[in-house]
Amino acid sequence: MTRRLYYEDASLRAFQASVVGTRPDGDVSLVLLDATAFYPGGGGQPSDRGTLGGRAVLDVTEEDQGVWHRLDGPLDAGASVSGSLDWGRRFDHMQQHTGQHILSRAFVEVLKADTRSFHMGEDAVTIDVDHPGPDAAALARVEARANDVVWDDGDVVTHVVTMEEAIRFPLRKAPDVEGPVRVGEVGGFDWSACGGTHVKRAGQVGLIAILGTEKYKGGTRVSFVCGRRALERLRAAGSLVRDLCRSFTTGEEDLPRAVGRLREERERLERRLKPLLAESLEREAADLVGAAERGAHGPVVTRHFPDRDPAEVGLLAALVAARGGIALLAAGNDTPRAHFSAPKGTISVGGILADLNRTHGAKGGGRPESAQGAIPADRVEAALRVARAAAMAGNDKGTVEP
């Protein structure tokens, strides 16, 4: 059994311990200590990183009540070693984790919404709450309540109790453990059964900022950040606003109006350009049909437009078909979009695209007279040659080799 120093003092940054077990694991080594300050991860919180005996700690896991450290090199069994945590990473995790406790309780208090799950990512933290979708005003109330608790700066303490004692606390969720229960209390505001690491006072969380929400499994996934992460987000947002102000040559207070004027101007230009684009596409379709070689069911137009908008090329394909041509067009470069069109009663371009799905890795489908999909960039030219050969021969059931 490993002595858990991170439970005795979560602010411990360095420690001494003895190696009591080692084993190889591929190109790395697994080391078991008699005591450790490295948290092994769990409950949504990632494991710690740092150095141990001069070796980099790549990961930390729990196994049979022992804490194993994955290192980039071996250590000798029985050796006394020094451990040093990546304190920036650990403190960040403590800020986010403690902030999650506070925010989850705020959702209960303000919206009667329980937290179903919690995940701490590298950039943001998420909780899934049992609410169909809080609006901006409701989220603002939750965020304000959570930050009031942070700024009240109450003590964060851990109670190690029996199950019978644990259920006497106003827990957000009943514990699902055997043996002693660790109950984390934040400033007399939240009580949660939790095995993670936390700051000593609520004020060390600094700030809780909700970033956004999305629908998730009948509830809502809430993204947020705390402490230093919130400060970094604020800096990034401030930098973005300053850059926009310089671009629009305006102050922050006038930026919304400047953006609104730009949007209105774009919409006005789009209204003016729409009929011009339609007229241009009509002429282009006529030229393409007029220059196309005639196949079994009419002129066949096969083109790849790597630099054109797929929606625009889709309109062009429909105009080619309206003039009696069979359009086998692709647009875009990274993942070219296929737009196949044909006059009704001639040939099934849906059948041709389905054949390309089987033979050239395309994806998509549609009706006999219209089909859309995607073709791998490295196979688009070959696929269009095969499609053209099929259309020229009037064969929409099987591949015709060019």
Side-chain angles (χ1 to χ4, degrees), residues 107 110-111 131 133-144 210:
F107 265 102
V110 177
L111 298 178
H131 193 286
D135 59 21
L139 290 173
R141 293 197 303 273
V142 172
E143 186 180 59
I210 294 177

Side-chain angles (χ1 to χ4, degrees), residues 62-304:
E62 189 171 10
E63 180 182 327
D64 297 331
Q65 301 202 31
V67 178
W68 288 85
H69 307 72
R70 188 180 301 272
L71 309 182
D72 65 353
L75 294 178
D76 295 330
S80 178
V81 293
S82 298
S84 178
L85 273 67
D86 179 343
W87 180 246
R89 175 185 172 91
R90 158 64 81 78
F91 188 68
D92 169 69
H93 290 173
M94 294 197 301
Q95 284 187 314
Q96 310 312 313
H97 199 165
T98 311
Q100 177 265 314
H101 283 270
I102 297 171
L103 187 62
S104 289
R105 175 64 73 172
F107 265 102
V108 172
E109 184 179 289
V110 177
L111 298 178
K112 304 296 187 292
D114 291 323
T115 293
R116 299 172 179 171
S117 63
F118 154 63
H119 174 72
M120 190 187 303
E122 292 294 329
D123 298 318
V125 188
T126 62
I127 53 174
D128 297 333
V129 297
D130 190 14
H131 193 286
D135 59 21
L139 290 173
R141 293 197 303 273
V142 172
E143 186 180 59
R145 182 68 183 105
N147 281 294
D148 282 344
V149 175
V150 171
W151 300 328
D152 282 344
D153 194 27
D155 289 332
V156 179
V157 296
T158 299
H159 308 275
V160 183
V161 295
T162 65
M163 181 64 74
E164 291 75 15
E165 293 170 325
I167 59 178
R168 296 174 187 169
F169 291 102
L171 302 175
R172 282 186 284 109
K173 182 180 179 182
D176 183 20
V177 297
E178 295 181 0
V181 181
R182 299 183 64 84
V183 176
E185 177 187 350
V186 183
F189 177 70
D190 181 66
W191 292 261
S192 299
C194 179
T197 59
H198 309 92
V199 295
K200 291 186 175 181
R201 300 187 63 84
Q204 290 181 292
V205 173
L207 176 70
I208 299 174
I210 294 177
L211 304 179
T213 63
E214 61 178 309
K215 299 286 187 182
Y216 186 75
K217 293 185 177 180
T220 300
R221 174 160 288 179
V222 181
S223 299
F224 68 97
V225 286
C226 305
R228 184 177 296 277
R229 294 194 195 189
L231 175 62
E232 291 172 351
R233 288 276 184 159
L234 181 62
R235 286 173 175 166
S239 178
L240 176 61
V241 169
R242 288 191 293 273
D243 288 344
L244 288 172
C245 288
R246 283 193 291 268
S247 297
F248 285 97
T249 61
T250 187
E252 288 188 22
E253 66 281 359
D254 292 325
L255 187 58
R257 286 191 291 272
V259 173
R261 288 193 297 268
L262 179 64
R263 182 174 60 250
E264 292 172 359
E265 178 66 13
R266 186 199 67 189
E267 292 172 350
R268 184 182 66 82
L269 290 174
E270 286 179 349
R271 288 194 296 270
R272 292 186 61 187
L273 288 173
K274 191 172 181 179
L276 297 176
L277 176 61
E279 182 180 336
S280 175
L281 290 176
E282 286 277 7
R283 289 197 300 268
E284 185 177 6
D287 291 342
L288 289 172
V289 172
E293 184 179 357
R294 187 173 183 82
H297 295 288
V300 178
V301 178
T302 309
R303 291 288 182 89
H304 176 210

Side-chain angles (χ1 to χ4, degrees), residues 47-60:
S47 62
D48 287 329
R49 299 289 185 272
T51 60
L52 185 61
R55 302 292 189 180
V57 178
L58 308 176
D59 194 16
V60 189

